[in-house]
Amino acid sequence: MQPLHLTGLSQAELSDFVASLGEPDYRARQIFSQIHARRLRSFDEMTDLPKELRAKLSEQTTISTLALESRYISTDGTRRYLFKTRDNKPVETVFIPEENRDTICFSSQSGCPLQCTFCLTAQLGLLRNLTAGEIVEQIIFALNDAYGVGVQPPRGTNLVGMGAGEPFLNFEELMKAIRIMKEPNGLHIVPNRTTVSTAGIVPRIRELATIPDRPHLAISLAAPNDELRNELMPINKKWPIDELMAACKMFEKSLKRGERFTFEYVMLDGVNDSAEHARQLANLINRYRLHAKVNLIPHNPAEPLPYQPSPMVRVEAFQSILESKGVHAFIRRPRGRDILAACGQLAARSSPRLSEQL
Ligand code: SAH
């Protein structure tokens, strides 16, 4: 039998488990905070707990299931971690240092079942969904590596569910992980600091809108019309653009003051980056009167993907057309390309700049 993975339990579930051991309830709060606030990686370090309890815990449970296989550090400071789960499935996490706040990009699945033609993760296929505990562990590990065990990030942390996998095809575990991470007695990363990105799983966009303390939403669009989107993102055949936009319209009602949602648009040289595509995109957003912003992402190339990034002048021209039609558009600077850590490059590959084992 697999040992119980404590990192994926809510405080309430941990209370039940602690009660089943015949221990007082305050132990549950203690254990929760040692895992999530102090970010300890073994029971031996939990010296506030009696020895017998620690022995019992290490017999029946575990707090770390992800084994680091390699760590790569980019010339721009971005770090990519490649882990293996207990059943040997790859998981990747990216730590992105930024001027204001650092960002951790986590994965929600090992591999991905979607077949987006511009994304390297698609080549893996779906290996399996990650558990809430495996999602939370990625963040604990990245924080410990970047700042030291238990050290508070000086400027807080943003989380993005933009690593491998389609978060909305693993909705329950994703939302559970987000609830665990918001606990003040734990990591205390509030959903307001978290953005999840979807390729357009329409029913889950609608569901997210009904959740009071929810993360922000980003939608990967990549094309302004069904013909091209069907080709680039086959999920579009199931939920075409009109259905996606209707769901966005509904989601928009749940936006808080000052909150916007984002369309991500990967810029593929000669494929989706013409002036006509820009006009179509602006018209689409304006037709539905969506208060969304657009992030233009220069394509991150990798063998054997058949695309090249659009030249910067074309990305800028695309942005100008959107802006001239009243759509706010931003150009995203690629991070960690040299270590295969940028958007769409996660495929459990080795890369240059392997750093020493921890
Ligand atoms: N499956 C989810 C989460 C992954 S997010 C989703 O599709 O939203 C990954 C982001 O990177 C998406 O916005 C996707 O459009 C973008 N992307 C994928 N491959 C890319 C590539 N090769 N270059 C640049 N961006 C890419």
Side-chain angles (χ1 to χ4, degrees):
M1 212 179 72
Q2 290 278 326
L4 181 65
H5 188 196
L6 297 186
T7 314
L9 299 188
S10 65
Q11 289 215 76
E13 288 169 335
L14 196 57
S15 284
D16 289 346
F17 173 68
V18 163
S20 78
L21 296 178
E23 295 283 339
D25 194 51
Y26 70 89
R27 293 283 182 220
R29 282 189 68 76
Q30 248 182 334
I31 297 170
F32 191 90
S33 99
Q34 316 242 15
I35 298 173
H36 300 279
R38 297 183 62 197
R39 308 196 303 259
L40 300 181
R41 306 309 295 134
S42 77
F43 295 114
D44 292 345
E45 297 166 82
M46 300 187 180
T47 46
D48 316 18
L49 303 177
K51 248 193 153 135
E52 309 75 66
L53 177 56
R54 277 189 270 155
K56 232 189 276 181
L57 290 175
S58 34
E59 250 166 53
Q60 300 183 26
T61 72
T62 177
I63 48 177
S64 46
T65 60
L66 297 181
L68 182 71
E69 191 159 276
S70 9
R71 177 180 69 160
Y72 303 92
I73 304 185
S74 162
T75 50
D76 71 17
T78 300
R79 297 176 173 214
R80 175 168 69 100
Y81 308 102
L82 171 59
F83 305 99
K84 284 280 157 74
T85 61
R86 296 201 143 221
D87 56 342
N88 234 5
K89 304 282 189 264
V91 174
E92 284 169 287
T93 311
V94 179
F95 175 85
I96 308 152
E98 277 163 317
E99 279 117 55
N100 297 320
R101 254 163 197 278
D102 301 323
T103 298
I104 297 172
C105 176
F106 65 87
S107 295
S108 51
Q109 300 182 310
S110 180
C112 184
L114 304 182
Q115 295 291 315
C116 306
T117 55
F118 47 82
C119 180
L120 207 59
T121 311
Q123 316 249 330
L124 293 175
L126 177 65
L127 301 170
R128 72 165 168 78
N129 279 338
L130 299 183
T131 63
E134 287 166 335
I135 294 173
V136 176
E137 252 195 78
Q138 295 176 57
I139 285 87
I140 291 177
F141 189 99
L143 289 172
N144 281 345
D145 184 52
Y147 305 112
V149 174
V151 177
Q152 275 309 307
R155 296 152 301 177
T157 314
N158 287 332
L159 299 185
V160 294
M162 299 186 182
E166 168 49 50
F168 283 8
L169 292 177
N170 188 17
F171 196 75
E172 295 292 315
E173 294 297 305
L174 168 78
M175 293 310 295
K176 185 177 184 194
I178 289 173
R179 285 194 303 274
I180 291 173
M181 292 191 288
K182 81 174 180 191
E183 289 289 344
N185 183 33
L187 284 167
H188 203 185
I189 303 175
V190 293
N192 197 30
R193 286 277 165 211
T194 303
T195 302
V196 285
S197 177
T198 179
I201 311 299
V202 161
R204 297 287 91 80
I205 295 172
R206 293 179 174 277
E207 187 175 345
L208 187 70
T210 67
I211 298 174
D213 199 9
R214 56 154 180 77
H216 300 289
L217 177 67
I219 293 171
S220 301
L221 204 54
N225 61 64
D226 280 324
E227 194 188 351
L228 183 57
R229 197 165 189 267
N230 283 343
E231 206 178 288
L232 300 177
M233 301 181 69
I235 191 75
N236 192 67
K237 292 177 195 154
K238 187 152 181 188
W239 289 293
I241 290 180
D242 272 338
E243 283 186 41
L244 184 57
M245 295 297 141
C248 290
K249 198 67 209 163
M250 186 247 170
F251 182 83
E252 201 172 61
K253 297 204 187 84
S254 77
L255 292 180
K256 315 252 161 28
R257 188 182 293 275
E259 184 189 3
R260 273 188 295 179
F261 70 100
T262 309
F263 287 115
E264 294 153 286
Y265 194 98
V266 52
M267 300 285 297
L268 309 167
D269 185 21
V271 175
N272 65 354
D273 61 351
S274 70
E276 175 57 22
H277 291 126
R279 283 190 289 272
Q280 282 183 17
L281 178 58
N283 291 344
L284 178 68
I285 292 172
N286 289 334
R287 180 153 23 101
Y288 283 87
R289 297 176 187 277
L290 290 169
H291 299 282
K293 66 178 164 95
V294 175
N295 276 346
L296 300 172
I297 313 178
H299 173 63
N300 298 306
E303 286 289 325
L305 299 178
Y307 307 107
Q308 287 305 313
S310 307
M312 202 36 83
V313 287
R314 207 168 319 133
V315 178
E316 283 164 1
F318 201 96
Q319 178 189 34
S320 304
I321 295 172
L322 292 179
E323 293 279 351
S324 74
K325 290 175 167 282
V327 174
H328 289 298
F330 302 85
I331 300 173
R332 285 251 295 260
R333 186 164 50 113
R335 299 293 303 267
R337 261 187 189 171
D338 57 338
I339 57 164
L340 294 177
C343 293
Q345 292 190 314
L346 300 181
R349 292 193 178 175
S350 56
S351 73
R353 302 194 55 84
L354 177 66
S355 112
E356 79 288 355
Q357 289 292 321
L358 296 177

